[in-house]
Amino acid sequence: MKVRRVYSTPSLQAAETAVRAAREAGITEADISLIARGDVELDAMPEHQKEAPTDFKHAAVRGAGIGGATGLLAGLVAVAVPPLGLTLAGVALTTLGGAAVGTWASSLVGASLPDPIRQKFEGEIEAGRVLVVIDGTGETLASAEAALRNAGAIHLPYGDPAAMS
């Protein structure tokens, strides 16, 4: 499972140096994102590295899991009740339906909530610092952490699992 790490850099140029160091350490482009104040993001930050300002992605993943589990449970209960006449194919459909409804509902809620990293490090962002967010596992993450420190990035206390790992 991938773990998310957050680093603070004083400028976009320093963040770009840190991103290069992370790539050289084996972190893929898809596992690197940047978070900065709105004026920095609009002017100079590459579009593919911008982190979404909401919790949409993480909420959708959580909703799919919880909804799917709820649908599966409902389907299994329905199979156990003979008058309902639900088959195993029906269980699969209730599982998929539960996952779809869970994803939809959680995504709506998540789209209205700020990203957890933005919430936690709002002071850093408002001070004009650029955050470098990497997702990685084991040895790759350890070598990336050393490379980022050598590039001048400051590790911030954040170590939640990456939602999309």
Side-chain angles (χ1 to χ4, degrees), residues 95-164:
T95 302
L96 290 174
V101 170
T103 300
W104 173 72
S106 294
S107 297
L108 288 176
V109 172
S112 66
L113 298 175
D115 179 67
I117 295 173
R118 281 188 182 272
Q119 279 182 319
K120 185 168 184 169
F121 302 114
E122 184 178 357
E124 290 275 326
I125 295 166
E126 290 305 314
R129 299 182 65 79
V130 179
L131 303 184
V132 178
V133 181
I134 62 168
D135 297 334
T137 57
E139 228 175 84
T140 306
L141 190 59
S143 65
E145 288 176 344
L148 285 162
R149 275 195 304 275
N150 291 338
I154 300 168
H155 181 258
L156 298 176
Y158 190 88
D160 287 353
M164 304 302 278

Side-chain angles (χ1 to χ4, degrees), residues 11-129:
S11 66
L12 186 58
Q13 293 77 19
E16 289 170 347
T17 301
V19 166
R20 276 193 301 277
R23 272 195 228 120
E24 290 169 3
I27 302 293
T28 64
E29 188 74 30
D31 289 334
I32 302 171
S33 57
L34 301 174
I35 301 176
R37 210 172 49 210
D39 58 330
V40 174
E41 286 182 329
L42 294 176
D43 293 341
M45 194 175 291
E47 190 66 37
H48 67 280
Q49 288 183 332
K50 290 182 184 178
E51 179 76 19
T54 66
D55 195 27
F56 176 84
K57 184 171 48 174
H58 304 95
V61 171
R62 283 192 302 267
I66 293 170
T70 303
L72 177 64
L73 182 63
L76 291 174
V77 168
V79 166
V81 178
L84 294 177
L86 192 64
T87 64
L88 291 179
V91 173
L93 287 175
T94 59
T95 302
L96 290 174
V101 170
T103 300
W104 173 72
S106 294
S107 297
L108 288 176
V109 172
S112 66
L113 298 175
D115 179 67
I117 295 173
R118 281 188 182 272
Q119 279 182 319
K120 185 168 184 169
F121 302 114
E122 184 178 357
E124 290 275 326
I125 295 166
E126 290 305 314
R129 299 182 65 79

